[in-house]
Amino acid sequence: MTKKIAILPGDGIGPEIIKSATDVLKFINTKHNLGFELEYSDIGGAGYDACKKPLPEATLKLCQDADSVLLGAVGGYQYDNLPRDMRPERGLLAIRRELDLFSNLRPAILYPQLASASSLKDEIVAGLDIMIVRELTGGIYFGEPRGIKTDENNKKIGFNTLVYNEDEIKRIAKSAFEIANKRDKKLCSVDKANVLEVSELWREVVIDVAKDYPQVELSHMYVDNASMQLVKDPKQFDVILTGNMFGDILSDTAAQLTGSIGMLPSASLDKNNKGMYEPIHGSAPDIAGKNIANPLATILSVSMMLKYSFNLPEQAAEIENAVGKVLDKNLRTADITDKNCSVVSTSQMGDAILES
Ligand code: IPM
Ligand code: MG
């Protein structure tokens, strides 16, 4: 049976890293006769250039019909002055929302070969394996009202709304407990319940959901402390559950623990585990087109796709093992390079994965 995979390269380094990742996807497809069909479409600035919209209708339709979606990155300097609704990031937020991809999994795993690429001491990060579960379709990213207006004193005010209803909290909490249950059974819910009412409700609902998972040890942490603990003693965490904005911030911190943001893949899932897969880094316009970006986060996103959307854990492991082998050969893109290592380009890194 054929399975359709929508490929959205996007902007900046997006097309380069997607090329490497789709080469790996095509290789696995042929090797195991998986029946994947790849279909490409535009999103972000590329969507705006092609159709004057960051999420063209054809792209949305393709993604709705597809069994899975692989995305590169969105954003670029040339789009910074567009009206807010037309900016590339709006396309990404819209596709997450339209496909109801509320559960965003961001694993931060330190490959032992990269221990010295981390800016933290070896013993702090060695063996690191954290899963951040970020709520992705609610919170302050989507809350209404939002905008910039002029008040009665002729002063401009900018405003956003941080809102969660109990159903939104419940479903992401369940996702996180399910994941924790399959790992080390430790879940830390991160909020700001000492200040925000929305976090008070968050905590209340998470505690309620916890009743169905007595085997999982639940703790709570304020987000300011969590950001500190992540760099002080990251290995205390197994699964971190948090809202949209806190998850955005903490996952960049977690990425740096692993040596480079160029290493972190992600899966964004709906209630049926249909997913969109993307590296957590952005479009890096400063290095776009230079063939120097690290494609590993996108390649590892393909591995997550095989695992979560197609239930192919062995094929997913093949990709993870190939990444390990390439690192063993001391091949590194510029962002993760180290003494005694050879710096390779995006395409050379992709080719090295295929050869492993
Ligand atoms: C991410 C990115 C996006 C986000 C941007 C590009 C809209 O930072 O996926 O973490 O904030 O969610
Ligand atoms: Mg981010």
Side-chain angles (χ1 to χ4, degrees):
M1 227 180 52
T2 66
K3 302 255 181 224
K4 198 193 302 186
I5 302 179
I7 309 286
L8 313 179
D11 310 319
I13 59 170
E16 299 160 59
I17 54 177
I18 281 288
K19 166 77 174 66
S20 298
T22 49
D23 284 348
V24 172
L25 181 58
K26 288 176 195 166
F27 176 87
I28 293 274
N29 184 28
T30 308
K31 181 172 170 198
H32 298 282
N33 199 11
L34 299 173
F36 292 153
E37 265 173 24
L38 279 51
E39 210 172 304
Y40 289 72
S41 198
D42 295 316
I43 193 163
Y48 181 80
D49 290 339
C51 310
K52 294 277 163 284
K53 277 184 179 174
L55 177 58
E57 274 101 30
T59 302
L60 177 59
K61 170 103 182 34
L62 170 69
C63 295
Q64 282 166 335
D65 294 345
D67 296 286
S68 194
V69 183
L70 181 68
L71 182 135
V74 299
Y77 307 130
Q78 68 271 46
Y79 309 110
D80 284 351
N81 294 322
L82 286 175
R84 223 170 299 130
D85 284 354
M86 291 296 142
R87 291 199 196 138
E89 292 75 10
R90 287 299 172 100
L92 178 59
L93 298 178
I95 188 99
R96 289 173 177 171
R97 179 84 159 194
E98 289 290 336
L99 299 181
D100 205 17
L101 305 171
F102 65 93
S103 179
N104 182 217
L105 314 185
R106 301 190 156 192
I109 296 170
L110 180 74
Y111 277 85
Q113 301 91 328
L114 294 184
S116 54
S118 173
S119 41
L120 274 78
K121 291 193 201 93
D122 230 15
E123 65 267 24
I124 307 260
V125 290
L128 184 80
D129 181 354
I130 301 176
M131 177 68 92
I132 296 184
V133 180
R134 168 189 178 194
E135 199 291 326
L136 200 62
T137 52
I140 199 164
Y141 272 49
F142 295 95
E144 297 284 347
R146 63 189 294 160
I148 299 176
K149 65 178 184 188
T150 309
D151 71 4
E152 57 278 11
N153 302 320
N154 223 11
K155 289 252 180 282
K156 276 191 181 175
I157 48 173
F159 52 100
N160 288 88
T161 304
L162 175 45
V163 55
Y164 273 115
N165 71 39
E166 56 182 316
D167 294 342
E168 289 173 303
I169 304 168
K170 199 186 245 171
R171 66 179 184 171
I172 190 67
K174 276 191 175 164
S175 295
F177 275 104
E178 287 292 333
I179 288 164
N181 205 18
K182 294 190 193 117
R183 294 174 44 109
D184 289 344
K185 301 189 169 34
K186 270 171 60 183
L187 178 64
C188 179
S189 173
V190 172
D191 62 35
K192 190 68 188 173
N194 51 345
V195 178
L196 303 174
E197 284 80 359
V198 60
S199 284
E200 242 175 80
L201 177 67
W202 178 281
R203 213 174 256 226
E204 194 183 301
V205 174
V206 171
I207 289 172
D208 204 43
V209 173
K211 290 180 188 142
D212 294 332
Y213 299 89
Q215 62 286 21
V216 176
E217 178 194 320
L218 171 67
S219 61
H220 304 273
M221 201 180 273
Y222 300 137
V223 63
D224 46 353
N225 186 25
S227 74
M228 181 172 74
Q229 296 299 329
L230 265 177
V231 288
K232 185 173 172 217
D233 176 20
K235 283 189 272 179
Q236 70 183 284
F237 297 108
D238 175 25
V239 179
I240 292 177
L241 160 66
T242 192
N244 206 342
M245 185 164 64
F246 296 160
D248 179 46
I249 299 167
L250 295 179
S251 59
D252 270 27
T253 309
Q256 186 52 39
L257 301 175
T258 72
S260 164
I261 197 163
M263 293 301 297
L264 245 72
S266 79
S268 306
L269 306 174
D270 75 1
K271 62 179 189 308
N272 303 315
N273 271 6
K274 170 166 168 174
M276 181 166 87
Y277 299 82
E278 52 175 316
I280 82 150
H281 61 69
S283 56
D286 51 325
I287 59 164
K290 296 186 178 161
N291 195 23
I292 59 173
N294 185 348
L296 291 178
T298 319
I299 290 172
L300 289 167
S301 297
V302 170
S303 164
M304 288 190 90
M305 173 190 285
L306 297 178
K307 200 182 310 178
Y308 289 98
S309 279
F310 298 117
N311 196 20
L312 295 166
E314 284 163 25
Q315 286 80 353
E318 264 182 56
I319 296 180
E320 285 160 27
N321 293 340
V323 171
K325 279 193 207 156
V326 167
L327 296 177
D328 279 340
K329 289 184 200 156
N330 286 339
L331 300 179
R332 306 278 191 275
T333 43
D335 57 316
I336 49 175
T337 190
D338 199 1
K339 50 182 180 309
N340 307 325
C341 291
S342 319
V343 177
V344 296
S345 66
T346 309
S347 50
Q348 285 168 332
M349 181 57 100
D351 292 344
I353 298 286
L354 290 178
E355 283 156 22
S356 298

